[in-house]
Amino acid sequence: MNVTATLIGQVIVFSILIWFIKATMWEPILNTLEDRKKRIADGLAASEEGLKAQEVAADEAKATIADAKQQAAEIIAKAKSRDTQMIDEAKAKAVEEAERIMVGAQAEIDQEVNRAKDGLRKQVSALAIAGASKIVGKEIDANVHKNALKDLIAQI
Amino acid sequence: MSESNATAISDPVGYINHHLTNMSSGTLGEGSVIDFSVFHIDVFLVSLLLALGLGYLGWKVGKSLDADKPTGAQNVLEMLVEFVNQQIKDIFPTADKWVGPLALTIFSWVFLMNAMDLLPVDLVPSLVGGIASLFGADPHHVYFKVVPTTNLDTTFALALLVFGLIVFYNIKHKGVWGYTKMFLFHPFGKFLIPVNIIMTLIEEIAKPVSLGLRLFGNMFAGELLFLLIALLAFSVWTMPAQIALGTLWAIFHILVITLQAFIFMLLTIVYLGLASQSADEH
C-alpha cells in the first residue's frame, strides 16, 4: 500500500482523457441533443402552423366552392335565356323566309300568267285573221286591219 | 490450472501475495508510504489501455453523430451523457463546461477499471506469466495486477486532480480572500479562528482522502474476496461452493463497481458544486 510514481502517470492520463472526452464526445453529444430538442420543438410548431393553414385553406375552399356554384347557376340561367332567344330568332327568321319564298312564288306566277296572256293574244290575232279570211273568202292583209287587231288583242 | 492450484493449495498466502503484487520497475522500500522511485507498469498499462479504448469509443461515436437516427453506441453514450448532465444540473449551482466531461470521464473510466475485477483472477496473471516464461522468466516472479483501482496510485491520482479542481473552483468563485475567509470564519465564527482553520483544513483534506480510500478499499476488498473464493478450489468436493460463491460475488460485484464509479462521480460533482458557491452563500 504505497503511493508511487504511477500516481503522476495516472494524473496525466486522467487529465488528457478528460480533455479528450470533452472535445470528442461530451460537447458533440450535448450539441446533438440540443439540436434534436430544437428540431422537435420546431417540428411541433410547424405542425401547429400547418394545422392552422389547413383550416384557413378549408375555409377558403368552401368559399370558392360556393362562389363556383353561384357562377354555375348564373351561367345556366343565362344559357337558358339565350336558348329561348335563339329559338325566337330562328322562328322569326323562318317566318321571314317563308314570306320571301311566298312573294317570289307569287311573282313567278304573275309572270307566267302574263306570258300566257301574251301568247294567247298573238294566237288570237292570228286566229281572228284566219277566221275572218275564211268568212270573207279572200286573204286579208294583217297590216290593213292593224288597228282593229290591236283593239281585239287589248280586249283579251 | 493444476499447477497454480497446486501452489494455491500448498501455499495460499503465497498465492494471494503473488496476486497482490504489482509488476513494477524498481522495488518498494520497506515501510515507506511514498516512494517515487517505483513505477507500477501493470496499473499504468491497464488504465492507459482502458483510457485509450474509452477515448477511441468517444471519438468514433462523436465524429459520426446523427441527430435524426441515433444508433447503437450513440444511444448508449447519449443516455450516459444525459444522465451525468442531469446529475450536474441538479447539484451544480452554476453552469460549468468542464465539470460535465470530468464527471463523465470519472464515471466511465473508473467503471471500466473496476470492471477488470470481473475477469477471472488467474486469467491475466497466468497469461502474462506464460508470455514471460516464453522469454525465459520464472512465471512465479512475474506479477500482474489487473485492476488499476485496487491500487492507491490510481484512486489518489483521481482524488488529487479533483482536490486541485476544488481549490481552483473555490478561488475562481470566491476569490482568494473569500477562500481564506472560509478557512478563518467557518464553521464557528470569528472568535475561534485557530479551531476554524484546523476544522476546515481537515474537512477539505478529508474530501480527496475519502474519495481515494473509499474506491480503493471497495475494490481491494472485492479483489481479495475473489482470491479467497478462488482458493476454495482445493478439492473436487469444494468446486461447487467455489462456483456458486464466485458467481454470486461476481453478480453482486457488478453492483459494487457501478456504484463505486457513480459515488466517485457524484461526490466529485458535489464537492465542486460546493466549491462553486459564491462566498456569501456559505
Side-chain angles (χ1 to χ4, degrees):
Chain A
M1 299 317 106
N2 308 67
V3 174
T4 64
T6 323
L7 180 95
I8 298 161
Q10 297 288 64
V11 169
I12 294 168
V13 171
F14 186 39
S15 315
I16 293 172
L17 188 61
I18 294 169
W19 168 79
F20 192 78
I21 280 187
K22 178 181 189 289
T24 61
M25 191 174 119
W26 180 266
E27 283 173 352
I29 284 184
L30 276 190
N31 288 342
T32 309
L33 292 175
E34 204 56 40
D35 185 38
R36 185 181 301 153
K37 212 190 265 175
K38 200 173 148 286
R39 273 160 109 170
I40 290 172
D42 285 355
L44 286 176
S47 78
E48 192 94 344
E49 248 167 54
L51 278 176
K52 265 184 204 158
Q54 197 198 6
E55 264 171 40
V56 170
D59 284 353
E60 255 173 37
K62 253 183 211 166
T64 310
I65 287 171
D67 210 34
K69 267 186 187 163
Q70 201 189 326
Q71 274 184 16
E74 268 171 29
I75 287 168
I76 288 170
K78 238 186 228 171
K80 267 186 187 158
S81 70
R82 175 131 179 78
D83 197 22
T84 49
Q85 196 186 331
M86 265 166 86
I87 288 170
D88 287 351
E89 266 173 27
K91 265 186 193 165
K93 228 183 219 172
V95 168
E96 202 181 303
E97 185 77 14
E99 255 166 35
R100 205 169 53 76
I101 289 170
M102 246 152 69
V103 169
Q106 194 66 50
E108 216 166 298
I109 289 166
D110 287 351
Q111 211 177 339
E112 212 55 39
V113 167
N114 282 341
R115 202 179 290 155
K117 269 183 184 169
D118 275 357
L120 218 54
R121 268 179 203 141
K122 274 174 195 159
Q123 278 177 5
V124 162
S125 68
L127 266 175
I129 288 169
S133 59
K134 280 244 170 97
I135 294 164
V136 177
K138 68 167 183 178
E139 206 163 311
I140 296 168
D141 191 359
N143 286 335
V144 181
H145 306 285
K146 209 193 248 172
N147 287 334
L149 279 173
K150 254 184 196 165
D151 285 346
L152 198 66
I153 289 163
Q155 275 172 16
I156 296 170
Chain B
M1 173 86 186
S2 60
E3 192 205 350
S4 85
N5 262 2
T7 3
I9 293 154
S10 62
D11 183 14
V13 177
Y15 173 79
I16 288 177
N17 271 335
H18 184 265
H19 275 83
L20 292 184
T21 310
N22 286 107
M23 177 195 269
S24 313
S25 69
T27 42
L28 281 167
E30 285 297 316
S32 61
V33 178
I34 297 172
D35 187 351
F36 279 119
S37 65
V38 176
F39 187 81
H40 295 317
I41 297 162
D42 48 1
V43 172
F44 187 71
L45 203 66
V46 172
S47 57
L48 184 67
L49 280 177
L50 291 174
L52 287 177
L54 194 60
Y56 176 71
L57 178 74
W59 171 75
K60 189 117 204 291
V61 172
K63 81 177 162 120
S64 57
L65 285 173
D66 188 348
D68 294 325
K69 295 188 284 294
T71 49
Q74 191 190 336
N75 270 328
V76 176
L77 289 185
E78 268 182 17
M79 215 176 68
L80 203 62
V81 166
E82 274 201 306
F83 165 69
V84 174
N85 207 26
Q86 191 55 49
Q87 302 293 333
I88 293 165
K89 273 183 188 162
D90 289 344
I91 295 169
F92 223 67
T94 53
D96 189 276
K97 59 177 183 167
W98 278 102
V99 74
L102 172 73
L104 180 66
T105 308
I106 287 175
F107 182 69
S108 44
W109 197 35
V110 169
F111 176 80
L112 285 178
M113 288 193 289
N114 290 352
M116 293 299 102
D117 221 355
L118 295 174
L119 294 175
V121 280
D122 279 336
L123 181 68
V124 183
S126 8
L127 219 70
V128 173
I131 291 167
S133 67
L134 288 181
F135 294 97
D138 176 11
H140 293 287
H141 290 101
V142 174
Y143 306 102
F144 202 89
K145 228 172 132 189
V146 200
V147 194
T149 40
T150 57
N151 189 287
L152 275 177
D153 292 315
T154 309
T155 59
F156 273 119
L158 294 166
L160 265 183
L161 199 83
V162 172
F163 179 69
L165 284 172
I166 289 173
V167 174
F168 174 75
Y169 273 62
N170 265 314
I171 292 172
K172 185 181 161 196
H173 291 279
K174 296 184 178 75
V176 178
W177 175 233
Y179 191 39
T180 318
K181 269 205 306 201
M182 195 182 94
F183 277 89
L184 295 180
F185 306 127
H186 176 81
F188 293 127
K190 56 184 173 180
F191 299 112
L192 283 168
I193 285 177
V195 182
N196 285 343
I197 291 175
I198 292 167
M199 293 283 284
T200 314
L201 213 57
I202 291 171
E203 190 188 322
E204 290 301 302
I205 288 170
K207 284 174 182 174
V209 171
S210 71
L211 270 182
L213 283 181
R214 179 185 302 108
L215 182 59
F216 165 75
N218 274 283
M219 286 305 111
F220 189 80
E223 174 83 341
L224 205 59
L225 212 56
F226 272 122
L227 289 173
L228 292 174
I229 290 167
L231 277 177
L232 275 176
F234 54 79
S235 100
V236 182
W237 304 105
T238 51
M239 283 281 274
Q242 185 212 6
I243 291 167
L245 284 175
T247 312
L248 267 178
W249 182 238
I251 291 170
F252 182 65
H253 213 60
I254 295 173
L255 179 71
V256 174
I257 61 176
T258 319
L259 199 66
Q260 287 306 318
F262 177 69
I263 288 173
F264 204 116
M265 177 197 87
L266 201 68
L267 283 177
T268 303
I269 299 171
V270 169
Y271 292 156
L272 288 179
L274 283 175
S276 312
Q277 282 173 348
S278 58
D280 40 288
E281 281 176 71
H282 241 277

